[in-house]
């Protein structure tokens, strides 16, 4: 039985599909964003994409087995010091196998669907380090800025809704809540109050 191969037209589409699936994989994106694999975490993630593409395009006598692909994905995550036991490796491997079969048939609907859908929102907040800001790409910076903006907006609303009575009782408390809007509160020293030279 002769195995089908990707055509010159389908190979780049399939490669893009691999990249789209892997960049939406929360375990992989968390490992890259938090640099669990060291400073070259992004390079290691790109190597996983390359290895997966090579897995599907190498000339071999035996058919492709999903278990081999799962092992490849698991080894890639281990290179990023990430151990996943949530079933996502199997899920990603299945999506990749299905996409490969579709691309062999010239059906690019799954890749088109990935292109048009937005990636799922990230469920964690990555603290930014001032030293590493130059290494971050623009997408991560804008995402961090959006998260920071949302966090700043949420602070006054949650504080005002917790105790709305205190906002109306005294004027100094209103002043204190205004200071809290930017996240900072000025605290005066009680020891030296009135004894400054």
């Amino acid at each position: 039985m002769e195995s089908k191969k990707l055509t010159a037209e389908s190979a780049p589409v399939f490669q893009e599909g691999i990249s789209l699936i892997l960049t939406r994989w929360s375990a992989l994106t968390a490992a890259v964003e938090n640099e669990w694999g060291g400073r070259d975490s992004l390079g290691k993630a790109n190597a996983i994409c390359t290895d997966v593409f090579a897995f599907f395009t190498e000339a071999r006598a035996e058919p492709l087995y999903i278990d081999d692909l799962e092992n490849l994905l698991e080894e890639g995550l281990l290179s990023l010091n990430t151990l996943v036991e949530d079933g996502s490796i199997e899920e990603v491997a299945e999506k990749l196998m299905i996409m490969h079969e579709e691309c062999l048939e010239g059906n690019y609907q799954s890749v088109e669907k990935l292109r048009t859908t937005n990636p799922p929102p990230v469920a964690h907040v990555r603290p930014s380090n001032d030293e590493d800001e130059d290494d971050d790409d623009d997408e991560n910076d804008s995402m961090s800025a959006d998260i920071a903006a949302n966090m700043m907006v949420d602070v006054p609303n949650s504080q005002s809704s917790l105790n709305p009575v205190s906002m109306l009782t005294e004027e100094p408390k209103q002043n204190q809540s205004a200071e809290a809007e930017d996240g900072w509160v000025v605290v005066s020293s009680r020891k030296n109050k009135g004894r400054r030279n």
Side-chain angles (χ1 to χ4, degrees):
M1 181 175 141
E2 188 177 314
S3 62
K4 292 182 180 179
K5 294 190 181 204
L6 293 169
T7 64
E9 176 190 352
S10 62
V13 175
F14 179 60
Q15 193 167 18
E16 179 186 2
I18 292 171
S19 178
L20 288 169
I21 287 175
L22 294 182
T23 56
R24 293 164 190 236
W25 187 12
S26 60
L28 183 61
T29 57
V32 170
E33 288 176 1
N34 295 306
E35 294 185 341
W36 294 340
R39 288 187 160 269
D40 192 32
S41 293
L42 182 60
K44 291 178 181 179
N46 290 334
I48 295 170
C49 290
T50 303
D51 292 345
V52 168
F53 184 70
F55 171 81
F56 285 104
T57 56
E58 282 180 356
R60 56 178 83 187
E62 71 271 358
L64 299 173
Y65 292 106
I66 194 166
D67 293 340
D68 295 335
L69 180 57
E70 290 171 2
N71 290 337
L72 178 70
L73 293 170
E74 185 175 17
E75 288 170 11
L77 285 181
L78 287 174
S79 74
L80 291 165
N81 299 318
T82 306
L83 180 63
V84 178
E85 296 177 346
D86 62 355
S88 64
I89 291 176
E90 293 81 8
E91 183 182 337
V92 168
E94 183 179 359
K95 286 180 182 179
L96 290 169
M97 294 292 279
I98 291 170
M99 183 184 297
H100 179 252
E101 288 297 318
E102 291 175 353
C103 286
L104 285 174
E105 297 168 359
N107 177 1
Y108 308 121
Q109 287 180 345
S110 57
V111 178
E112 287 296 326
K113 184 178 178 184
L114 286 170
R115 284 180 187 155
T116 58
T117 59
N118 292 328
V122 178
H124 60 280
V125 176
R126 177 179 168 236
S128 64
N129 296 335
D130 291 338
E131 301 169 8
D132 295 338
E133 280 186 10
D134 295 337
D135 297 335
D136 292 343
D137 60 359
D138 293 338
E139 183 179 332
N140 286 342
D141 287 344
S142 66
M143 187 171 79
S144 296
D146 290 343
I147 291 170
N150 289 338
M151 290 174 70
M152 285 190 281
V153 170
D154 290 345
V155 171
N157 293 340
S158 63
Q159 283 183 352
S160 64
S161 65
L162 287 176
N163 194 0
V165 175
S166 68
M167 298 290 285
L168 302 173
T169 57
E170 300 178 63
E171 194 158 329
K173 292 223 179 200
Q174 286 179 345
N175 198 10
Q176 183 181 12
S177 69
E179 292 171 355
E181 284 183 32
D182 66 353
W184 295 95
V185 177
V186 177
V187 179
S188 61
S189 172
R190 291 184 183 193
K191 279 185 174 179
N192 298 330
K193 202 167 199 174
R195 287 193 250 163
R196 292 190 177 156
N197 292 338

